[in-house]
Amino acid sequence: FPLSWESFRNSGLGGYALPFQHLYFLNFLWGFLGHFSNFILIERLVWLWPILFLGLVDAYLLANYCRLGIIWSPLVWVVLILNTYFLTVASGGQITVAFGYLMFGLTFVLFLKVISDSKPKLPKLIYLSWALVLMLAFDPRFVYLFVMVAFFYFLFDLILGDRNPVGILKSIIKYF
């Protein structure tokens, strides 16, 4: 069996770490696929192609929600994928941070779609919940950031939106 370098999670210094792979779902997938294929193919299947696909979906949804149209979608993708933060994180090996970064835009669009409805439908809530769970699994710091952005969005809507007490109460209930 191949060795797995797991020094920072106290599961061995380069030793056999398959018994601990289930604790971290991405490492489990990586380690399980390592038994059947080589690293370069696994890296492309698990990281590269999903990042490019998620970046395309994220850019399309952001451009579509902002009503930029399908023509501007590639430019949004270029800005999203080819900025220095993403390139530094992805090339530095922190792929889960890159996934969390890409999930942020998708989660925020889903959040805006849920709160824009007066009665949000169950599938939208489930999609938002799954996006939050995935973002939490990739990097919990982005969930904290998302909660802060949602809170500030609520404050701006409270200040710039409805001024009557019933509207303020409705927006408080709608957001929280």
Side-chain angles (χ1 to χ4, degrees):
F1 293 107
L3 299 178
S4 180
W5 190 260
E6 291 290 332
S7 63
F8 65 96
R9 293 188 184 119
N10 296 324
S11 58
L13 284 170
Y16 184 66
L18 190 61
F20 303 105
Q21 293 295 326
H22 69 282
L23 298 175
Y24 308 97
F25 74 99
L26 293 172
N27 287 348
F28 177 73
L29 179 64
W30 195 292
F32 180 74
L33 292 175
H35 291 292
F36 306 108
S37 185
N38 65 358
F39 174 75
I40 293 175
L41 180 64
I42 295 170
E43 183 181 38
R44 283 177 175 74
L45 285 176
V46 175
W47 299 117
L48 179 65
W49 299 120
I51 279 181
L52 294 177
F53 177 72
L54 184 61
L56 283 172
V57 169
D58 196 17
Y60 173 75
L61 288 175
L62 281 171
N64 191 25
Y65 190 81
C66 295
R67 296 187 175 105
L68 296 177
I70 199 162
I71 296 171
W72 291 98
S73 213
L75 181 63
V76 173
W77 182 78
V78 166
V79 169
L80 190 66
I81 296 289
L82 296 180
N83 64 50
T84 54
Y85 174 74
F86 182 79
L87 291 176
T88 303
V89 166
S91 66
Q94 296 178 343
I95 302 297
T96 55
V97 177
F99 267 114
Y101 168 77
L102 288 177
M103 286 297 297
F104 189 86
L106 175 70
T107 307
F108 193 67
V109 167
L110 291 172
F111 170 73
L112 292 177
K113 286 183 178 183
V114 165
I115 64 169
S116 66
D117 289 347
S118 59
K119 289 185 178 180
K121 305 223 178 343
L122 185 62
K124 287 183 182 180
L125 290 170
I126 291 173
Y127 294 150
L128 175 62
S129 300
W130 274 107
L132 279 169
V133 165
L134 281 174
M135 195 164 51
L136 180 68
F138 290 133
D139 195 349
R141 295 173 291 184
F142 284 102
V143 175
Y144 298 142
L145 183 64
F146 175 78
V147 169
M148 288 182 359
V149 168
F151 177 74
F152 284 118
Y153 186 84
F154 163 71
L155 284 180
F156 281 123
D157 190 42
L158 190 64
I159 293 168
L160 302 175
D162 253 344
R163 299 245 181 217
N164 62 6
V166 175
I168 291 172
L169 185 62
K170 282 183 180 179
S171 71
I172 289 172
I173 292 170
K174 182 170 65 171
Y175 287 111
F176 300 106

